[in-house]
Amino acid sequence: MPDAPAPTTSPPPAGDGAPQQPGPVRRTLGRILERSAFAHPRTALISGTVLLGLMVGCSAVPVPYVIEQPGPAIDVLGQYQDEDIISIEGHETYPSDGKLMMTTVSVDGGPGYTVTAAEVVLAWFDRSRAVFPRELLFPEGRTREDVTLENTVQMSTSQQGAVAVALDELGIPYERTVVVAGIEDGAASADVLEAGDEILAVRGERTADAAATQQLVARSVPGEEIALTVRRGGEDLELSVPTREVDGTARMGVVLADGYEFPFDVGISVGDIGGPSAGLMFSLSVYDELTEGALPGGREIAGTGTIAEDGAVGPIGGIRQKMIGARDAGADYFLAPGQNCDEVAGNVPSGLQVVRVDTFDQALEATESIAATGTVDGLPTCEGS
């Protein structure tokens, strides 16, 4: 929604797809063709050719499903697309050893894309993939641009929250602010505002949070320009931002989020990957960069989970695919949100050891223990959940 606070919850975990069974029509056709093969060979040949053509044609028809499959597992302590994922300026950082890997899921068939019946059938019989009705993950009416913006906003806010959690753990103070988390495609303000701008004041009135800022903007006359004070790259700017009418209310066409102003610069860059589920691994990696020693201790540790302001680790979707992606990338250990344990149990890839975590502190303790011992002995797991 334009000029609305950014979403704070992760997408609901998805369920398991199940293969359909052959119906009575298919069985009846089979019996007819079988009989025709003996009584009328030529008729059987023609019928078989027609049926094969129908089957091939139907297999290429787009269907309203999406397919989830393992995406790349990326070491947050390293680089992505030839760029350091974490960059810190203005504070001492320390070298690390090992990997802290965020995990991803690739989704085929979202808004603006389609999958065919044949692709869905093949995915049903592949344990590394999952099939869901499209409306379960993408409600009707959402466009490709809507999904891209939401994923961008969720990634941006998860990064900010992850840094805040790491600094809280280290006792480093910071200030709260309001940020432009995303800009709608074709928004009236697109030529003036940038994602990441901190909004300090609306028409000279200081703003306390994203909701209050939204209310100040909504009081404006639709179509008029609004005077904003924003901070961009450490510089305060006075901007005149155009609006347009949406449902009778003035909107700038941006998504606002409660953000943070840190005492030094912390940048997190993962290209066009979106969503909130890397929050936990971002927070561990920022903590590692700011502390002496190597948090993973040379181990290859993957994980997933949203991160809340109080350090709570939240559930995510596609965890079965993320575990497979982690193992394929060489991870030996995996940190999983406790609320995802029902999907973890019985689906752990061979060679991967999974630890249940419900808070940042638990994840930190688990990582330190794995680094020191190379095992998950004595750590909570999802077995029996």
Side-chain angles (χ1 to χ4, degrees):
M1 178 181 295
D3 304 354
T8 57
T9 57
S10 63
D16 295 333
Q20 294 180 344
Q21 299 299 318
V25 173
R26 185 189 300 179
R27 289 194 294 267
T28 300
L29 284 172
R31 287 196 295 269
I32 291 174
L33 289 176
E34 183 179 358
R35 293 169 183 171
S36 298
F38 292 101
H40 306 285
R42 183 178 179 184
T43 301
L45 178 61
I46 295 174
S47 300
T49 302
V50 171
L51 181 59
L52 179 61
L54 288 172
M55 292 175 63
V56 171
C58 289
S59 70
V61 174
V63 291
Y65 289 88
V66 295
I67 300 172
E68 285 187 345
Q69 54 195 345
I74 303 165
D75 178 21
V76 183
L77 297 174
Q79 291 187 327
Y80 183 69
Q81 296 179 342
D82 299 323
E83 183 178 358
D84 289 339
I85 293 178
I86 296 180
S87 58
I88 298 176
E89 296 181 6
H91 193 284
E92 187 174 6
T93 60
Y94 303 89
S96 189
D97 182 33
K99 295 181 179 180
L100 293 173
M101 306 161 71
M102 60 177 280
T103 50
T104 65
V105 169
S106 174
V107 180
D108 294 335
Y113 302 93
T114 59
V115 295
T116 65
E119 291 173 319
V120 168
V121 171
L122 290 174
W124 268 330
F125 294 96
D126 185 343
R127 287 184 56 83
S128 71
R129 298 193 286 176
V131 177
F132 309 104
R134 183 185 296 153
E135 66 271 16
L136 185 65
L137 301 185
F138 304 103
E140 187 175 354
R142 294 183 65 197
T143 65
R144 183 189 311 178
E145 290 74 20
D146 292 336
V147 173
T148 299
L149 177 60
E150 181 176 344
N151 284 338
T152 299
V153 169
Q154 289 179 334
M155 175 60 76
S156 174
T157 53
S158 74
Q159 291 171 352
Q160 287 267 305
V163 175
V165 168
L167 297 195
D168 281 339
E169 186 71 25
L170 295 168
I172 299 175
Y174 52 84
E175 296 181 3
R176 298 182 181 279
T177 186
V178 178
V179 298
V180 177
I183 301 177
E184 286 192 327
D185 187 46
S189 59
D191 294 331
V192 182
L193 293 175
E194 296 180 5
D197 284 348
E198 298 178 20
I199 298 181
L200 305 180
V202 178
R203 292 191 299 273
E205 186 173 345
R206 291 280 169 172
T207 57
D209 54 37
T213 303
Q214 178 189 3
Q215 292 173 1
L216 289 173
V217 172
R219 293 176 193 169
S220 305
V221 177
E224 76 172 9
E225 295 190 346
I226 301 175
L228 293 187
T229 304
V230 306
R231 181 167 294 159
R232 180 185 300 164
E235 180 182 1
D236 291 356
L237 304 174
E238 299 295 334
L239 304 177
S240 184
V241 182
T243 66
R244 64 183 177 188
E245 181 177 346
V246 178
D247 297 329
T249 304
R251 301 291 191 190
M252 297 184 296
V254 303
V255 179
L256 304 176
D258 294 322
Y260 312 89
E261 186 172 347
F262 303 117
F264 47 88
D265 293 333
V266 183
I268 302 178
S269 176
V270 285
D272 58 358
I273 296 175
S277 65
L280 172 62
M281 302 312 291
F282 286 149
S283 60
L284 289 171
S285 299
V286 171
Y287 178 90
D288 188 28
E289 292 267 348
L290 295 173
T291 54
E292 292 188 67
L295 180 59
R299 316 291 182 185
E300 297 193 9
I301 305 172
T304 188
T306 64
I307 195 76
E309 185 176 349
D310 62 359
V313 176
I316 51 80
I319 194 164
R320 290 192 299 127
Q321 287 70 43
K322 290 179 178 179
M323 289 190 296
I324 293 171
R327 187 62 187 139
D328 288 346
D332 299 306
Y333 311 93
F334 192 95
L335 307 178
Q339 294 181 63
N340 282 120
C341 271
D342 58 336
E343 300 169 84
V344 171
N347 291 303
V348 178
S350 176
L352 190 69
Q353 301 182 72
V354 178
V355 178
R356 169 183 179 150
V357 296
D358 294 287
T359 66
F360 174 78
D361 286 341
Q362 289 179 2
L364 183 59
E365 292 171 5
T367 304
E368 291 173 336
S369 177
I370 291 170
T373 67
T375 72
V376 299
D377 293 347
L379 296 174
T381 68
C382 287
E383 296 303 319
S385 297

Short mmCIF file of all heavy atoms in Angstrom, two decimals, residues 226-278:
data_model
loop_
_atom_site.label_atom_id
_atom_site.label_comp_id
_atom_site.label_asym_id
_atom_site.label_seq_id
_atom_site.Cartn_x
_atom_site.Cartn_y
_atom_site.Cartn_z
N ILE A 226 4.56 18.26 -1.11
CA ILE A 226 4.77 18.26 0.34
C ILE A 226 6.23 18.57 0.62
O ILE A 226 7.13 18.00 -0.02
CB ILE A 226 4.40 16.90 0.96
CG1 ILE A 226 2.93 16.57 0.67
CG2 ILE A 226 4.64 16.89 2.46
CD1 ILE A 226 2.52 15.19 1.14
N ALA A 227 6.47 19.45 1.59
CA ALA A 227 7.85 19.78 1.99
C ALA A 227 8.35 18.72 2.96
O ALA A 227 7.77 18.51 4.03
CB ALA A 227 7.89 21.15 2.64
N LEU A 228 9.40 18.02 2.56
CA LEU A 228 10.01 16.99 3.41
C LEU A 228 11.45 17.36 3.72
O LEU A 228 12.16 17.88 2.86
CB LEU A 228 10.00 15.63 2.72
CG LEU A 228 8.67 14.92 2.44
CD1 LEU A 228 8.94 13.52 1.91
CD2 LEU A 228 7.80 14.86 3.67
N THR A 229 11.87 17.03 4.93
CA THR A 229 13.28 17.08 5.29
C THR A 229 13.77 15.65 5.37
O THR A 229 13.23 14.85 6.16
CB THR A 229 13.50 17.78 6.64
OG1 THR A 229 12.93 19.09 6.60
CG2 THR A 229 14.99 17.89 6.96
N VAL A 230 14.73 15.30 4.54
CA VAL A 230 15.23 13.93 4.53
C VAL A 230 16.74 13.94 4.70
O VAL A 230 17.42 14.92 4.39
CB VAL A 230 14.85 13.20 3.22
CG1 VAL A 230 13.37 13.27 2.96
CG2 VAL A 230 15.62 13.76 2.04
N ARG A 231 17.24 12.83 5.19
CA ARG A 231 18.69 12.65 5.32
C ARG A 231 19.11 11.56 4.35
O ARG A 231 18.59 10.45 4.35
CB ARG A 231 19.06 12.26 6.75
CG ARG A 231 20.56 12.06 6.97
CD ARG A 231 20.87 12.00 8.46
NE ARG A 231 20.58 13.29 9.08
CZ ARG A 231 20.36 13.45 10.39
NH1 ARG A 231 20.38 12.40 11.19
NH2 ARG A 231 20.11 14.65 10.88
N ARG A 232 20.07 11.91 3.49
CA ARG A 232 20.53 10.98 2.45
C ARG A 232 22.06 11.02 2.41
O ARG A 232 22.64 12.08 2.18
CB ARG A 232 19.96 11.36 1.09
CG ARG A 232 20.39 10.45 -0.07
CD ARG A 232 19.86 10.99 -1.38
NE ARG A 232 18.40 11.08 -1.39
CZ ARG A 232 17.71 11.80 -2.28
NH1 ARG A 232 18.35 12.49 -3.22
NH2 ARG A 232 16.39 11.84 -2.23
N GLY A 233 22.69 9.89 2.67
CA GLY A 233 24.15 9.84 2.63
C GLY A 233 24.80 10.78 3.63
O GLY A 233 25.87 11.34 3.37
N GLY A 234 24.15 10.96 4.78
CA GLY A 234 24.70 11.83 5.83
C GLY A 234 24.40 13.30 5.64
O GLY A 234 24.79 14.13 6.47
N GLU A 235 23.70 13.66 4.56
CA GLU A 235 23.38 15.07 4.28
C GLU A 235 21.88 15.30 4.41
O GLU A 235 21.07 14.51 3.93
CB GLU A 235 23.84 15.42 2.87
CG GLU A 235 23.56 16.87 2.47
CD GLU A 235 23.98 17.16 1.04
OE1 GLU A 235 24.47 16.24 0.36
OE2 GLU A 235 23.81 18.32 0.62
N ASP A 236 21.50 16.41 5.09
CA ASP A 236 20.10 16.77 5.24
C ASP A 236 19.64 17.59 4.03
O ASP A 236 20.30 18.56 3.64
CB ASP A 236 19.86 17.57 6.52
CG ASP A 236 20.05 16.71 7.77
OD1 ASP A 236 20.28 15.49 7.62
OD2 ASP A 236 19.98 17.25 8.88
N LEU A 237 18.52 17.16 3.43
CA LEU A 237 18.01 17.82 2.22
C LEU A 237 16.59 18.31 2.45
O LEU A 237 15.79 17.66 3.13
CB LEU A 237 18.01 16.83 1.05
CG LEU A 237 19.33 16.13 0.70
CD1 LEU A 237 19.09 15.08 -0.38
CD2 LEU A 237 20.37 17.14 0.25
N GLU A 238 16.27 19.47 1.88
CA GLU A 238 14.90 19.99 1.89
C GLU A 238 14.31 19.71 0.52
O GLU A 238 14.77 20.25 -0.50
CB GLU A 238 14.89 21.49 2.18
CG GLU A 238 15.48 21.88 3.53
CD GLU A 238 14.67 21.35 4.71
OE1 GLU A 238 13.45 21.12 4.53
OE2 GLU A 238 15.25 21.15 5.80
N LEU A 239 13.28 18.87 0.47
CA LEU A 239 12.71 18.44 -0.80
C LEU A 239 11.24 18.82 -0.90
O LEU A 239 10.53 18.88 0.11
CB LEU A 239 12.84 16.92 -0.96
CG LEU A 239 14.25 16.33 -0.87
CD1 LEU A 239 14.18 14.82 -0.98
CD2 LEU A 239 15.16 16.91 -1.94
N SER A 240 10.81 19.04 -2.13
CA SER A 240 9.40 19.25 -2.41
C SER A 240 8.90 18.03 -3.18
O SER A 240 9.31 17.80 -4.32
CB SER A 240 9.22 20.52 -3.25
OG SER A 240 7.85 20.78 -3.46
N VAL A 241 8.05 17.25 -2.54
CA VAL A 241 7.68 15.94 -3.07
C VAL A 241 6.25 15.95 -3.59
O VAL A 241 5.31 16.28 -2.85
CB VAL A 241 7.82 14.86 -1.98
CG1 VAL A 241 7.48 13.49 -2.54
CG2 VAL A 241 9.23 14.87 -1.40
N PRO A 242 6.03 15.59 -4.85
CA PRO A 242 4.67 15.57 -5.41
C PRO A 242 3.85 14.41 -4.85
O PRO A 242 4.38 13.40 -4.42
CB PRO A 242 4.91 15.39 -6.91
CG PRO A 242 6.23 14.69 -7.01
CD PRO A 242 7.05 15.21 -5.85
N THR A 243 2.54 14.58 -4.87
CA THR A 243 1.62 13.53 -4.43
C THR A 243 0.57 13.29 -5.51
O THR A 243 0.45 14.06 -6.47
CB THR A 243 0.91 13.92 -3.12
OG1 THR A 243 0.04 15.05 -3.37
CG2 THR A 243 1.90 14.26 -2.04
N ARG A 244 -0.19 12.25 -5.34
CA ARG A 244 -1.34 12.01 -6.19
C ARG A 244 -2.44 11.39 -5.34
O ARG A 244 -2.19 10.88 -4.23
CB ARG A 244 -0.98 11.08 -7.35
CG ARG A 244 -0.57 9.68 -6.95
CD ARG A 244 -0.16 8.88 -8.18
NE ARG A 244 0.29 7.54 -7.81
CZ ARG A 244 0.85 6.70 -8.68
NH1 ARG A 244 1.03 7.08 -9.93
NH2 ARG A 244 1.23 5.49 -8.29
N GLU A 245 -3.65 11.43 -5.83
CA GLU A 245 -4.79 10.94 -5.07
C GLU A 245 -4.94 9.44 -5.23
O GLU A 245 -4.94 8.91 -6.34
CB GLU A 245 -6.07 11.63 -5.53
CG GLU A 245 -7.30 11.18 -4.75
CD GLU A 245 -8.56 11.93 -5.17
OE1 GLU A 245 -8.43 12.95 -5.88
OE2 GLU A 245 -9.65 11.47 -4.81
N VAL A 246 -5.05 8.75 -4.11
CA VAL A 246 -5.32 7.32 -4.08
C VAL A 246 -6.43 7.09 -3.07
O VAL A 246 -6.26 7.35 -1.87
CB VAL A 246 -4.07 6.50 -3.70
CG1 VAL A 246 -4.43 5.01 -3.65
CG2 VAL A 246 -2.94 6.74 -4.68
N ASP A 247 -7.58 6.65 -3.53
CA ASP A 247 -8.74 6.43 -2.66
C ASP A 247 -9.07 7.69 -1.86
O ASP A 247 -9.40 7.63 -0.66
CB ASP A 247 -8.50 5.26 -1.70
CG ASP A 247 -8.31 3.95 -2.43
OD1 ASP A 247 -8.91 3.78 -3.52
OD2 ASP A 247 -7.56 3.08 -1.94
N GLY A 248 -8.97 8.84 -2.52
CA GLY A 248 -9.35 10.10 -1.89
C GLY A 248 -8.32 10.69 -0.95
O GLY A 248 -8.59 11.69 -0.27
N THR A 249 -7.13 10.08 -0.90
CA THR A 249 -6.10 10.52 0.04
C THR A 249 -4.81 10.83 -0.70
O THR A 249 -4.49 10.18 -1.70
CB THR A 249 -5.84 9.42 1.10
OG1 THR A 249 -7.05 9.10 1.75
CG2 THR A 249 -4.82 9.91 2.14
N ALA A 250 -4.08 11.82 -0.20
CA ALA A 250 -2.78 12.16 -0.80
C ALA A 250 -1.76 11.08 -0.49
O ALA A 250 -1.60 10.67 0.66
CB ALA A 250 -2.31 13.50 -0.26
N ARG A 251 -1.08 10.61 -1.53
CA ARG A 251 -0.05 9.59 -1.37
C ARG A 251 1.18 9.97 -2.17
O ARG A 251 1.08 10.55 -3.25
CB ARG A 251 -0.55 8.22 -1.85
CG ARG A 251 -1.79 7.71 -1.14
CD ARG A 251 -1.52 7.34 0.29
NE ARG A 251 -2.62 6.62 0.89
CZ ARG A 251 -2.71 6.36 2.20
NH1 ARG A 251 -1.77 6.78 3.01
NH2 ARG A 251 -3.74 5.69 2.67
N MET A 252 2.35 9.61 -1.65
CA MET A 252 3.60 9.85 -2.37
C MET A 252 4.01 8.64 -3.19
O MET A 252 4.95 8.72 -3.98
CB MET A 252 4.73 10.20 -1.38
CG MET A 252 4.49 11.46 -0.59
SD MET A 252 5.89 11.88 0.49
CE MET A 252 5.89 10.48 1.63
N GLY A 253 3.36 7.51 -2.99
CA GLY A 253 3.71 6.30 -3.73
C GLY A 253 4.94 5.61 -3.18
O GLY A 253 5.71 5.02 -3.94
N VAL A 254 5.13 5.69 -1.86
CA VAL A 254 6.28 5.04 -1.23
C VAL A 254 5.79 4.15 -0.10
O VAL A 254 4.66 4.27 0.37
CB VAL A 254 7.29 6.07 -0.68
CG1 VAL A 254 7.77 7.00 -1.79
CG2 VAL A 254 6.69 6.87 0.47
N VAL A 255 6.65 3.25 0.33
CA VAL A 255 6.39 2.43 1.52
C VAL A 255 7.31 2.93 2.63
O VAL A 255 8.54 3.01 2.44
CB VAL A 255 6.66 0.94 1.25
CG1 VAL A 255 6.41 0.12 2.51
CG2 VAL A 255 5.76 0.44 0.12
N LEU A 256 6.73 3.30 3.75
CA LEU A 256 7.49 3.82 4.89
C LEU A 256 7.72 2.72 5.91
O LEU A 256 6.89 1.83 6.08
CB LEU A 256 6.74 4.98 5.55
CG LEU A 256 6.36 6.14 4.63
CD1 LEU A 256 5.53 7.17 5.40
CD2 LEU A 256 7.61 6.79 4.04
N ALA A 257 8.84 2.77 6.58
CA ALA A 257 9.17 1.78 7.61
C ALA A 257 9.86 2.45 8.78
O ALA A 257 10.55 3.45 8.62
CB ALA A 257 10.06 0.69 7.03
N ASP A 258 9.64 1.90 9.96
CA ASP A 258 10.40 2.33 11.13
C ASP A 258 11.81 1.82 10.97
O ASP A 258 12.04 0.61 10.80
CB ASP A 258 9.77 1.78 12.41
CG ASP A 258 8.39 2.37 12.67
OD1 ASP A 258 8.21 3.58 12.39
OD2 ASP A 258 7.50 1.65 13.14
N GLY A 259 12.76 2.73 10.97
CA GLY A 259 14.15 2.35 10.77
C GLY A 259 15.04 2.81 11.90
O GLY A 259 14.56 3.13 13.00
N TYR A 260 16.32 2.84 11.64
CA TYR A 260 17.30 3.15 12.67
C TYR A 260 18.42 4.01 12.08
O TYR A 260 18.78 3.86 10.92
CB TYR A 260 17.91 1.87 13.24
CG TYR A 260 16.88 0.82 13.62
CD1 TYR A 260 16.45 -0.12 12.68
CD2 TYR A 260 16.32 0.79 14.89
CE1 TYR A 260 15.50 -1.07 13.01
CE2 TYR A 260 15.37 -0.16 15.22
CZ TYR A 260 14.97 -1.10 14.28
OH TYR A 260 14.02 -2.03 14.59
N GLU A 261 18.94 4.89 12.91
CA GLU A 261 20.12 5.66 12.52
C GLU A 261 21.27 5.19 13.40
O GLU A 261 21.30 5.44 14.60
CB GLU A 261 19.88 7.16 12.71
CG GLU A 261 21.02 8.01 12.19
CD GLU A 261 20.71 9.48 12.20
OE1 GLU A 261 19.53 9.86 12.37
OE2 GLU A 261 21.65 10.27 12.03
N PHE A 262 22.20 4.49 12.78
CA PHE A 262 23.29 3.88 13.52
C PHE A 262 24.48 4.84 13.65
O PHE A 262 24.64 5.74 12.81
CB PHE A 262 23.72 2.58 12.82
CG PHE A 262 22.59 1.58 12.67
CD1 PHE A 262 22.15 1.19 11.41
CD2 PHE A 262 21.95 1.06 13.78
CE1 PHE A 262 21.11 0.29 11.26
CE2 PHE A 262 20.91 0.15 13.65
CZ PHE A 262 20.49 -0.23 12.39
N PRO A 263 25.32 4.65 14.65
CA PRO A 263 26.44 5.56 14.86
C PRO A 263 27.57 5.38 13.84
O PRO A 263 28.53 6.13 13.85
CB PRO A 263 26.91 5.21 16.27
CG PRO A 263 26.49 3.80 16.48
CD PRO A 263 25.19 3.67 15.74
N PHE A 264 27.46 4.39 12.98
CA PHE A 264 28.42 4.19 11.89
C PHE A 264 27.67 3.52 10.74
O PHE A 264 26.53 3.04 10.92
CB PHE A 264 29.62 3.34 12.34
CG PHE A 264 29.23 2.10 13.10
CD1 PHE A 264 28.97 0.91 12.43
CD2 PHE A 264 29.13 2.12 14.49
CE1 PHE A 264 28.61 -0.23 13.13
CE2 PHE A 264 28.78 0.98 15.19
CZ PHE A 264 28.52 -0.20 14.51
N ASP A 265 28.27 3.51 9.58
CA ASP A 265 27.59 3.00 8.38
C ASP A 265 27.70 1.48 8.30
O ASP A 265 28.79 0.92 8.36
CB ASP A 265 28.20 3.61 7.12
CG ASP A 265 27.92 5.10 7.00
OD1 ASP A 265 26.90 5.54 7.56
OD2 ASP A 265 28.73 5.82 6.39
N VAL A 266 26.55 0.84 8.14
CA VAL A 266 26.49 -0.60 7.92
C VAL A 266 25.68 -0.85 6.66
O VAL A 266 24.48 -0.54 6.62
CB VAL A 266 25.85 -1.35 9.11
CG1 VAL A 266 25.88 -2.86 8.85
CG2 VAL A 266 26.56 -1.01 10.40
N GLY A 267 26.31 -1.38 5.64
CA GLY A 267 25.62 -1.69 4.40
C GLY A 267 25.50 -3.19 4.19
O GLY A 267 26.44 -3.93 4.49
N ILE A 268 24.34 -3.64 3.71
CA ILE A 268 24.13 -5.05 3.39
C ILE A 268 23.59 -5.11 1.97
O ILE A 268 22.56 -4.50 1.67
CB ILE A 268 23.15 -5.73 4.37
CG1 ILE A 268 23.66 -5.61 5.81
CG2 ILE A 268 22.95 -7.20 3.99
CD1 ILE A 268 22.72 -6.21 6.84
N SER A 269 24.26 -5.84 1.09
CA SER A 269 23.88 -5.88 -0.31
C SER A 269 23.80 -7.31 -0.81
O SER A 269 24.79 -8.05 -0.76
CB SER A 269 24.88 -5.09 -1.16
OG SER A 269 24.57 -5.18 -2.53
N VAL A 270 22.63 -7.71 -1.30
CA VAL A 270 22.45 -9.06 -1.87
C VAL A 270 21.72 -8.98 -3.20
O VAL A 270 20.91 -9.84 -3.55
CB VAL A 270 21.69 -9.99 -0.90
CG1 VAL A 270 22.58 -10.42 0.24
CG2 VAL A 270 20.42 -9.33 -0.38
N GLY A 271 22.01 -7.93 -3.97
CA GLY A 271 21.42 -7.81 -5.30
C GLY A 271 19.92 -7.70 -5.24
O GLY A 271 19.36 -6.95 -4.43
N ASP A 272 19.25 -8.46 -6.12
CA ASP A 272 17.79 -8.36 -6.21
C ASP A 272 17.07 -9.43 -5.39
O ASP A 272 15.88 -9.65 -5.55
CB ASP A 272 17.35 -8.44 -7.67
CG ASP A 272 17.79 -9.73 -8.35
OD1 ASP A 272 18.47 -10.55 -7.70
OD2 ASP A 272 17.45 -9.92 -9.53
N ILE A 273 17.78 -10.09 -4.49
CA ILE A 273 17.13 -11.07 -3.61
C ILE A 273 16.25 -10.32 -2.62
O ILE A 273 16.67 -9.33 -2.03
CB ILE A 273 18.17 -11.91 -2.86
CG1 ILE A 273 18.98 -12.74 -3.85
CG2 ILE A 273 17.50 -12.84 -1.84
CD1 ILE A 273 20.11 -13.52 -3.22
N GLY A 274 15.02 -10.78 -2.44
CA GLY A 274 14.09 -10.09 -1.55
C GLY A 274 13.54 -10.98 -0.47
O GLY A 274 13.81 -12.18 -0.42
N GLY A 275 12.72 -10.38 0.39
CA GLY A 275 12.08 -11.12 1.47
C GLY A 275 12.75 -10.91 2.81
O GLY A 275 13.86 -10.38 2.89
N PRO A 276 12.09 -11.34 3.90
CA PRO A 276 12.57 -11.07 5.26
C PRO A 276 13.32 -12.21 5.92
O PRO A 276 13.80 -12.07 7.05
CB PRO A 276 11.26 -10.81 6.01
CG PRO A 276 10.30 -11.79 5.37
CD PRO A 276 10.71 -11.86 3.91
N SER A 277 13.44 -13.37 5.26
CA SER A 277 13.87 -14.57 5.98
C SER A 277 15.36 -14.67 6.27
O SER A 277 15.79 -15.59 6.95
CB SER A 277 13.43 -15.82 5.21
OG SER A 277 14.08 -15.90 3.97
N ALA A 278 16.17 -13.72 5.77
CA ALA A 278 17.61 -13.76 6.04
C ALA A 278 17.98 -12.94 7.27
O ALA A 278 19.16 -12.81 7.60
CB ALA A 278 18.40 -13.26 4.84
#
